Amino acid sequence: MGQVCQSFKSLMQLQLQDEKLPPLLSSFDMEGIAGYIAEKGCKQVVVMCGAGISTSAGIPDFRTPGTGLYDNLQRFNLPRAESIFELKFFRKTPQAFYELVRELWPGNYEPTPAHYFLRLLNEKGILRRCYTQNIDSLEGRAGLPAEKLVAAHGNFDEAHVIDTWPEIKVPVHELKRALDAGEEGWKELKKAKGGLVKPKIVFFGEALPDRFNRLHMTDLAACDLLIVMGTSLVVYPFAGLVGVANKSAPRLLINRDQAGTCDTLESGFRFHLQGEDNWRDVFHKDDCDAGCRTLAEHLGWKDDLEALIQSEGRVSVCNAPWV
Ligand code: CNA
């Protein structure tokens, strides 16, 4: 058994050696990333983002202790916080999810500087795609065109009746009207449609949208830089995209804390490792807005970013009821 493990370990080490490349960056920091973008003329940047790009808009993330949704869902009396995104619980107690949906409905929050940075990457002609776990649609509200976005966990663009096959679609404005009318409203909608209606937000155990499955392998293979922002990288399959990124693409994480690290296999970030064990990963510990501004500054795009934010005239003001 010991021998088998030893052979397996040697095999993995061999594979790892094969995968290693000479350092891709002149320095493993924002300056190094900006220099790489300019020198190599990157044009296939892929961004992955999570709830951390929207916290400055007033929408809490999931897991930050104290302010995260998981710590603040007690008012819904859930058996556990994750239940709010479970079909089993929704079927029995839809009120909890419906209250959350009403609060998060697009239009209640404004984009953050990090969202405008996504749009800037696109306007500079270097964004291949943005993969978001967020359901708040703030990327689009900041002006990122729909073809550049993959809403991996769904959003409020569509609604459907659960437990139906083939799926029965419901216009989202009907759901909105029903939710605005309170408990009577969604009960009437349920009766009219023959089942509970939910926005197409991916619940635990549900399949990710076709668009995600169709695009992610080619996008990640073609990417020449991966930027990951505001995510704990614990939800799969989304988090697995980090490991699929082209081996010759540097990877940058902008986050309050390290996430997605991996020592043994090339499936996660390696910025915590020294020397040749890390040839491409950078961790920039900061808030997403500040990190994006720092990168924009290093790229000589500081004024462009600020002008974009100002021109839209709508940037986040943190006034959420739950923070
Ligand atoms: P998470 O697990 O809560 O992780 C968020 C990460 O971002 C943590 O590592 C935080 O430290 C970090 N963070 C928080 N705020 C900032 C900030 N301002 N700057 C930098 N880093 C910050 O959330 P994930 O997105 O990783 O989890 C995936 C879930 C979250 C998806 O299924 C989403 O649907 C879900 N979610 C979405 C929203 C939204 O749409 N805005 C809100 C809450 C949860």
Side-chain angles (χ1 to χ4, degrees), residues 120-316:
L120 184 65
L121 288 176
N122 188 46
E123 293 190 354
K124 293 288 181 184
I126 72 168
L127 182 72
R128 183 181 173 97
R129 207 87 64 191
C130 171
Y131 285 77
T132 185
Q133 293 169 98
N134 295 345
I135 54 178
D136 56 33
S137 299
L138 290 182
E139 299 86 359
R141 196 161 166 82
L144 189 69
E147 78 267 14
K148 291 289 175 168
L149 188 71
V150 175
H153 293 168
N155 55 28
F156 294 84
D157 288 357
E158 292 177 86
H160 68 127
V161 183
I162 63 162
D163 302 325
T164 54
W165 186 261
E167 186 180 272
I168 298 173
K169 290 192 174 166
V170 176
V172 275
H173 67 263
E174 285 189 32
L175 175 60
K176 173 89 169 82
R177 208 172 40 226
L179 294 183
D180 285 346
E183 195 168 339
E184 282 315 304
W186 63 256
K187 281 186 170 162
E188 256 175 51
L189 187 67
K190 180 182 174 193
K191 215 188 305 168
K193 301 291 176 186
L196 282 167
V197 178
K198 94 171 182 24
K200 289 215 81 174
I201 288 166
V202 179
F203 275 21
F204 289 111
E206 285 191 309
L208 268 56
D210 284 350
R211 186 170 161 75
F212 175 89
N213 295 322
R214 221 175 39 246
L215 294 175
H216 74 274
M217 288 309 280
T218 39
D219 279 349
L220 273 297
C223 90
D224 49 19
L225 171 69
L226 178 69
I227 301 177
V228 183
M229 302 196 283
T231 171
S232 58
L233 287 174
V234 296
V235 179
Y236 283 80
F238 187 91
L241 298 188
V242 173
V244 186
N246 190 326
K247 295 265 175 296
S248 54
R251 302 181 299 191
L252 163 69
L253 173 70
I254 303 172
N255 212 43
R256 283 183 182 158
D257 36 44
Q258 286 195 2
T261 55
C262 181
D263 294 350
T264 48
L265 293 169
E266 184 40 33
S267 55
F269 286 118
R270 302 173 65 78
F271 37 62
H272 55 302
L273 303 174
Q274 298 299 314
E276 60 177 18
D277 281 330
N278 174 26
W279 69 94
R280 61 158 165 171
D281 291 342
V282 172
F283 172 48
H284 183 84
K285 183 178 170 62
D286 208 341
D287 278 9
C288 295
D289 295 341
C292 288
R293 284 186 154 121
T294 303
L295 184 53
E297 193 166 357
H298 282 300
L299 288 163
W301 301 347
K302 183 175 178 250
D303 292 345
D304 298 333
L305 178 59
E306 297 310 326
L308 203 54
I309 295 168
Q310 296 310 322
S311 73
E312 284 299 319
R314 30 169 221 236
V315 75
S316 60

